[in-house]
């Protein structure tokens, strides 16, 4: 569980990341920030492509950013998603699977420009998940 201060930092980082989104096709800007078990924060935004299926969501950009930065045993404590919209956006199915890979006990908080906030565990967002242990 992030502390209130960590949660505030995550929300701020996710909001900043949303401002960096490359979303010329959907115009839907998303930012994400993750808190690792080592207390570090990484962020990412959605990156779209003219070949739409190649789009990478903000959540996965943030997680891949952490791996690329050298996080060896990445364990996600919390994932925060920010959209500059009236309602909050829950992670898509593909992102839920990637969040589960590195944080089967992670908390996922979606916030927005309005008051709405979604606050759920990844286990609740992806029940009966397939994960690394299934390959053991
Ligand atoms: N998107 C995200 O970045 N994260 C989500 O959880 C939902 C969708 C992006 C993908 C695409 O660039 C845009 O939002 C519209 O689907």
């Amino acid at each position: 569980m992030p502390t209130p201060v960590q949660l505030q930092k995550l929300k701020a980082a996710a909001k900043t990341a949303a401002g960096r989104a490359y979303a010329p096709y959907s115009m839907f800007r998303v930012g994400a920030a993750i808190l690792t078990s080592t207390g570090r924060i990484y962020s990412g935004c959605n990156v779209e492509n003219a070949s739409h299926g190649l789009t990478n969501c903000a959540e996965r950009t943030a997680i891949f950013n952490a791996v690329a930065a050298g996080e060896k045993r990445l364990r996600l404590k919390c994932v925060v998603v920010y959209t500059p919209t009236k309602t909050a956006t829950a992670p898509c199915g593909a992102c839920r699977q990637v969040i589960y890979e590195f944080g089967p006990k992670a908390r996922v908080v979606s916030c927005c420009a309005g008051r709405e906030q979604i606050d759920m565990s990844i286990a609740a967002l992806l029940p009966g998940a397939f994960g690394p242990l299934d390959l053991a």
Side-chain angles (χ1 to χ4, degrees), residues 23 26 28 30 46 48 55-59 89-92 95:
S26 73
F28 193 71
V30 188
N46 53 331
E48 298 187 343
T55 291
N56 206 67
C57 293
E59 297 90 324
T89 302
C92 79
C95 288

Side-chain angles (χ1 to χ4, degrees), residues 20-94:
R20 298 177 183 151
Y22 176 72
Y25 306 105
S26 73
M27 307 302 284
F28 193 71
R29 296 173 163 272
V30 188
I34 59 173
L35 176 68
T36 71
S37 57
T38 54
R40 293 189 184 89
I41 289 176
Y42 296 90
S43 64
C45 58
N46 53 331
V47 182
E48 298 187 343
N49 193 277
S51 177
H52 293 184
L54 298 182
T55 291
N56 206 67
C57 293
E59 297 90 324
R60 278 176 289 144
T61 304
I63 292 168
F64 298 161
N65 198 11
V67 173
E71 287 283 344
K72 286 287 171 224
R73 279 179 218 87
L74 180 60
R75 268 282 158 278
L76 304 179
K77 288 279 176 211
C78 185
V79 177
V80 171
V81 182
Y82 175 85
T83 46
T85 51
K86 276 190 203 158
T87 54
T89 302
C92 79

